[in-house]
Amino acid sequence: MITKREYYQNQKATQPFDFKFLGNLDITLILKNLSTFTEEQWGEHTHRNEDFRAHNQTNSLEILWDKDSLATGLTGAKNKTNYKQLDFDYIKNLLQPIYEKHYGPGYFIRVLLPRLKPGGSIPIHRDNGKSLMEVKRTHIPLVTNENIFFKVGDTTKNLKAGEVWEINNGREHAVNNDSDEHRIHLIVDYLPKI
């Protein structure tokens, strides 16, 4: 007999979507808080860009994230400084109704702010592992422009700032930053209650 989690994993791998638009978010305060992070803070987290070749042109701010949470599926460790500086409790209150509307009750288990360098790219790759297949992986562009393209499966989009998108991370995906500015997204992994 197949478990609910196995069912959802199989669904994610075979679902016929690349991107799913969930709504819009007012990012005014988020951008203000984002501007307070220093280059030193951007350089503190190296695991993702060093251990995952696809992300070697990025650096990240951990909000609710650690590499063990990828393996265990448990909630990522809270970086108290970054969490408070970004005011993620405020963001969570804005996001919760959007996620509950689409997925029902659930948990925010990982939150990360990746920054892709100007002219950089994230080559085609596919996420794997039980934890990454169980969650709804969402991207919220914070700093972007018309020369940044996100490809998932057969679809390429230019995502606008403040839009909330689920990506089908079980499919191949890639990013090209054909601009002279950083591209910054808020990645949120939401785990629906089963």
Side-chain angles (χ1 to χ4, degrees), residues 92-105:
K92 188 166 57 169
N93 288 334
L94 295 177
L95 289 176
Q96 192 77 42
I98 295 171
Y99 288 74
E100 286 185 1
K101 175 183 174 186
H102 291 276
Y103 310 123

Side-chain angles (χ1 to χ4, degrees), residues 102-139:
H102 291 276
Y103 310 123
Y107 310 95
F108 296 93
I109 69 165
R110 279 183 297 272
V111 180
L112 189 69
L113 278 166
R115 182 176 76 168
L116 177 60
K117 71 179 188 176
S121 65
I122 299 172
I124 292 175
H125 66 286
R126 183 187 312 238
D127 295 347
N128 56 51
K130 182 179 177 189
S131 178
L132 284 171
M133 293 301 101
E134 289 177 345
V135 299
K136 304 297 185 178
R137 170 142 290 188
T138 60
H139 278 251

Side-chain angles (χ1 to χ4, degrees), residues 21-36:
F21 179 71
L22 304 181
N24 288 293
L25 187 67
D26 180 354
I27 61 171
T28 307
L29 181 61
I30 300 169
L31 290 174
K32 180 180 176 188
N33 293 342
L34 185 63
S35 71
T36 67

Side-chain angles (χ1 to χ4, degrees), residues 8-115:
Y8 287 119
Q9 269 186 285
N10 293 338
Q11 288 296 306
K12 189 165 197 176
T14 60
Q15 283 179 1
F17 82 94
D18 294 328
F19 293 89
K20 228 184 244 183
F21 179 71
L22 304 181
N24 288 293
L25 187 67
D26 180 354
I27 61 171
T28 307
L29 181 61
I30 300 169
L31 290 174
K32 180 180 176 188
N33 293 342
L34 185 63
S35 71
T36 67
F37 287 94
T38 66
E39 281 302 313
E40 183 180 351
Q41 285 173 288
W42 279 106
E44 287 173 1
H45 172 74
T46 59
H47 164 73
R48 189 168 185 261
N49 59 315
E50 289 177 354
D51 292 354
F52 298 102
R53 189 170 39 128
H55 301 292
N56 68 359
Q57 294 185 20
T58 67
N59 48 19
S60 303
L61 292 169
E62 296 175 344
I63 306 302
L64 194 64
W65 198 94
D66 64 87
K67 71 179 188 176
D68 292 337
S69 73
L70 293 171
T72 64
L74 298 174
T75 300
K78 182 191 285 187
N79 181 306
K80 292 178 183 176
T81 300
N82 295 349
Y83 190 101
K84 183 177 179 183
Q85 193 170 340
L86 188 65
D87 195 358
F88 188 71
D89 283 332
Y90 166 79
I91 298 168
K92 188 166 57 169
N93 288 334
L94 295 177
L95 289 176
Q96 192 77 42
I98 295 171
Y99 288 74
E100 286 185 1
K101 175 183 174 186
H102 291 276
Y103 310 123
Y107 310 95
F108 296 93
I109 69 165
R110 279 183 297 272
V111 180
L112 189 69
L113 278 166
R115 182 176 76 168

